[in-house]
Amino acid sequence: MTDDVTPNGYAKRWWKAAVVYQVYPRSFYDSNGDGIGDLRGIIEKLDHIKGLGVDVIWLSPHFDSPNADNGYDIRDYRKVGAEFGTMQDFDDLLAAIKAAGMKLIIDLVVNHTSDEHQWFVESRTSRDNPKRDYYIWSDHKPNDWTSIFGGPAWTKDASGDWYLHLFDPKQPDLNWDNPAVREGVYDLMRFWLDKGVDGFRMDVIPFISKDKAFPNLPDDLRAKPQYVYANGPKVHDYLHEMNREVLSQYDVMTVGEAFGVTLEDTPKLIDERRQELNMIFQFAAVEVDRGPDGRWKPWTLPEFKAVFTRQDKALDRHCWPTFFLSNHDNPRIVSRFGDDSPQWREKSAMLLATLTLTMKGTPFIYQGDEMGLTNRKFTDIAQFNDLWTKNAWEEEVVSGQWSTEAFFANQNRVSRDHARMPLPWTPEGGFTTGTPWFALNPNHGAINAESGRAIYDHYARLIALRHAEPALVYGDYEDIAPDHPQIFAYRRTLGESAFLVVLNFSSQPAAFALPETPVRLGNYDSTSTDLRAWEARIYRPG
Ligand code: NOJ
């Protein structure tokens, strides 16, 4: 055993010990009054991020884009979106992040491009254009695949041929079987790595390889086609090649968005001996409140806890997990997993912070969770921005299948727009001096960075504790009360060092056999013998 291996057998890596904070630039902070968050805005608020003590910033797409999907449709991978600033602003941001002792990973969105990307502009001009084969074309509609955003995944173009888009028609899928495409992607990756970025979050990366026999969707996966799309025949060949050609040449963090990847298949992507990706985002925890059709359903604490035990058992010492409860595709955690009522919002936000920062797996915090932001109540389709929700409106309400009430009841739980509202820095809003691109949550007078200070400070304390205690990073995980309906209690053990975390996931007090040792870090001052509503305690027994 060397110093580079933990007592329980993990190779130590900086990206395993790191805490990551995600910035969705459009909604972070606007420095020039045009209503859109920008890179200079991130520089201006860097102290806020640095003050948490995080190690890495993940920046959602900052590239030139027509914004059909808010930047996840890239027109030019080497250009900063004009609304976000210039390449100089990016370089300054990167330098400021480094000067603050942090690292930066950026979003790699290469399953698809924008239809306005030069490659697609050329590709669609004619069947014999040299770029035709950069995308996936067919002279007929080959199968019944559907877009994740709704409707068919094939669109007929002016030439009469059909092209594949697993997302919006403005997001045509690249043809990864074409070596020139792969080389083009590797080149753009080198471009950013050579600037000094420290890695990538890879958008829907398991979708890159397509089964060109194009079978129809099997009946049982019709509502979850991602489990088909994530299983193309060459995904591992291509990721291994990407690792060999690019990633292995740098010291990077890679985290793949593994939409549609089962737990059983997870090691194929992240087992370090396979040399593909460092980590992936597993979706099971954030799907606990979704039914088979993707719509909201009630969830229970035992179901939620079981996700993490299953995950832990499925991954051996050669695989490293991530932990996240939210991002720009999910509603706000306090409204979803906590209690967003005035009485319990702050305590439940702190409890969720405790969970995030004491679990096994590299933790990802989404902007605004450290302020305790909540969902809003949408009452009119015009209040939404996200194309996914707008498509759902057409498919569900305009088609007459759903009542408006049922639609809002669901979207008020699941919409991605809950997480995309601009950050409220002050009771007045404080995001922009202009008109925000998307309305702030109407509750920003009460819920904002200033009123959320106690939550922010709790995040900072937890991050400092995680950094000081290897057991909270590398320690083995054991759920000691898997069936308890209110309590989530687990141990993190590394050699002689053992932590016990006890969380009351409910708005009522709960009795639990608590140790007599002092609380190391909690979200209440008092140490009663029962846990109060949303109480979170970290003990170091012994
Ligand atoms: C996953 C991203 O997180 C999401 O925001 C986007 O809409 C899709 N991939 C398509 O790029």
Side-chain angles (χ1 to χ4, degrees):
M1 193 167 64
T2 72
D3 278 356
D4 296 322
V5 177
T6 61
N8 58 352
Y10 283 105
K12 291 187 195 167
R13 296 280 180 265
W14 66 264
W15 43 265
K16 293 182 185 175
V19 176
V20 186
Y21 181 92
Q22 182 191 352
V23 171
Y24 191 69
R26 185 168 303 275
S27 294
F28 190 71
Y29 183 62
D30 173 24
S31 73
N32 65 356
D34 68 355
I36 303 173
D38 47 42
L39 301 184
R40 294 240 150 250
I42 305 171
I43 297 176
E44 285 184 30
K45 295 285 186 191
L46 208 54
D47 283 351
H48 174 89
I49 304 176
K50 173 69 187 160
L52 286 168
V54 302
D55 308 279
V56 177
I57 295 176
W58 153 26
L59 182 61
S60 273
H62 62 282
F63 312 96
D64 176 48
S65 163
N67 290 314
D69 186 21
N70 282 347
Y72 282 91
D73 48 320
I74 297 171
R75 184 164 46 204
D76 186 341
Y77 291 94
R78 289 178 173 78
K79 199 168 160 203
V80 172
E83 70 275 38
F84 297 133
T86 63
M87 193 58 92
Q88 187 60 53
D89 295 332
F90 180 87
D91 293 341
D92 291 348
L93 172 63
L94 183 58
I97 290 172
K98 300 271 163 140
M102 296 184 286
K103 295 182 189 283
L104 176 67
I105 66 171
I106 60 173
D107 230 297
L108 184 73
V109 188
V110 289
N111 170 68
H112 46 267
T113 68
S114 163
D115 66 338
E116 297 180 31
H117 189 286
Q118 191 55 31
W119 289 345
F120 193 73
V121 170
E122 288 176 39
S123 183
R124 81 190 324 182
T125 54
S126 72
R127 287 184 173 165
D128 49 16
N129 184 281
K131 295 275 186 319
R132 187 66 162 184
D133 199 34
Y134 271 49
Y135 294 84
I136 300 165
W137 292 95
S138 168
D139 59 6
H140 60 288
K141 188 179 174 211
N143 66 3
D144 65 357
W145 284 8
T146 49
S147 153
I148 297 294
F149 290 153
W154 295 96
T155 288
K156 194 174 187 177
D157 200 40
S159 66
D161 285 356
W162 300 71
Y163 69 91
L164 180 70
H165 53 87
L166 297 181
F167 293 89
D168 191 71
K170 281 189 70 63
Q171 294 168 299
D173 280 51
L174 283 165
N175 177 18
W176 274 69
D177 296 331
N178 180 345
V181 166
R182 304 204 297 279
E183 203 36 61
V185 169
Y186 303 157
D187 257 8
L188 76 89
M189 292 172 73
R190 290 185 198 105
F191 172 84
W192 290 99
L193 290 169
D194 289 340
K195 274 187 171 292
V197 309
D198 301 285
F200 300 101
R201 174 270 186 184
M202 301 189 185
D203 192 69
V204 290
I205 198 71
F207 286 17
I208 56 177
S209 163
K210 276 51 176 198
D211 179 353
K212 297 281 178 67
F214 293 124
N216 280 335
L217 291 172
D219 281 342
D220 58 330
L221 293 178
R222 211 157 274 286
K224 294 192 163 192
Q226 64 267 30
Y227 289 97
V228 173
Y229 305 156
N231 269 303
K234 297 203 141 171
V235 59
H236 299 292
D237 295 340
Y238 295 155
L239 288 176
H240 185 68
E241 179 184 270
M242 177 198 280
N243 189 300
R244 189 186 65 225
E245 296 296 313
V246 186
L247 301 171
S248 62
Q249 318 289 318
Y250 302 81
D251 179 22
V252 289
M253 165 189 271
T254 53
V255 51
E257 186 201 22
F259 192 40
V261 174
T262 60
L263 203 46
E264 295 65 45
D265 284 341
T266 296
K268 293 187 197 152
L269 290 163
I270 59 170
D271 185 314
E272 61 202 0
R273 294 164 298 190
R274 294 172 54 89
Q275 297 171 322
E276 294 185 24
L277 301 176
N278 295 153
M279 304 175 274
I280 61 162
F281 293 126
Q282 258 292 335
F283 275 60
V286 294
E287 283 174 353
V288 70
D289 64 354
R290 304 295 160 91
D293 52 5
R295 296 191 173 126
W296 186 82
K297 72 158 181 64
W299 60 283
T300 67
L301 187 62
E303 275 177 287
F304 181 68
K305 293 186 285 191
V307 167
F308 303 106
T309 298
R310 263 202 312 276
Q311 169 168 309
D312 191 52
K313 291 195 185 327
L315 303 183
D316 69 12
R317 299 289 185 248
H318 298 287
C319 297
W320 186 252
T322 58
F323 187 90
F324 77 102
L325 295 175
S326 67
N327 55 32
H328 64 292
D329 291 331
N330 281 279
R332 285 289 175 188
I333 53 175
V334 182
S335 302
R336 186 179 196 183
F337 300 111
D339 180 336
D340 64 8
S341 69
Q343 193 179 7
W344 301 121
R345 184 182 64 86
E346 186 173 276
K347 291 296 182 197
S348 64
M350 290 177 175
L351 176 140
L352 294 167
T354 309
L355 175 67
T356 303
L357 291 158
T358 57
M359 282 295 275
K360 189 164 169 182
T362 297
F364 285 72
I365 300 164
Y366 180 63
Q367 68 178 36
D369 284 341
E370 79 284 13
M371 305 173 185
L373 302 189
T374 65
N375 289 351
R376 73 168 279 190
K377 191 166 187 287
F378 293 100
T379 52
D380 189 323
I381 185 65
Q383 292 165 344
F384 289 100
N385 169 266
D386 184 15
L387 85 171
W388 202 346
T389 298
K390 289 180 180 165
N391 288 349
W393 173 260
E394 294 296 321
E395 281 181 17
E396 292 163 4
V397 181
V398 177
S399 71
Q401 289 184 39
W402 281 50
S403 68
T404 336
E405 292 71 33
F407 173 84
F408 284 109
N410 186 51
Q411 292 295 332
N412 277 324
R413 296 278 194 178
V414 305
S415 173
R416 309 196 293 182
D417 279 339
H418 294 295
R420 297 180 175 192
M421 289 175 276
L423 291 186
W425 291 96
T426 65
E428 295 72 41
F431 164 73
T432 177
T433 54
T435 307
W437 71 275
F438 186 39
L440 277 70
N441 194 321
N443 69 16
H444 66 262
I447 300 180
N448 53 64
E450 290 174 9
S451 67
R453 192 68 207 188
I455 301 169
Y456 176 97
D457 289 343
H458 200 64
Y459 268 91
R461 279 193 290 270
L462 287 160
I463 292 169
L465 182 66
R466 189 177 178 98
H467 282 148
E469 297 289 351
L472 291 177
V473 177
Y474 291 106
D476 292 333
Y477 169 77
E478 186 197 359
D479 180 346
I480 62 168
D483 300 324
H484 200 297
Q486 279 171 284
I487 298 281
F488 195 170
Y490 48 92
R491 282 204 190 92
R492 301 294 315 281
T493 310
L494 185 67
E496 298 297 296
S497 174
F499 283 85
L500 173 67
V501 182
V502 189
L503 311 172
N504 178 7
F505 251 83
S506 77
S507 304
Q508 289 80 41
F512 195 69
L514 297 165
E516 286 177 5
T517 49
V519 175
R520 180 73 189 272
L521 180 51
N523 63 348
Y524 279 88
D525 283 338
S526 73
T527 47
S528 51
T529 48
D530 287 350
L531 286 185
R532 297 166 69 180
W534 299 104
E535 184 158 2
R537 292 184 185 175
I538 304 172
Y539 290 96
R540 184 168 195 162

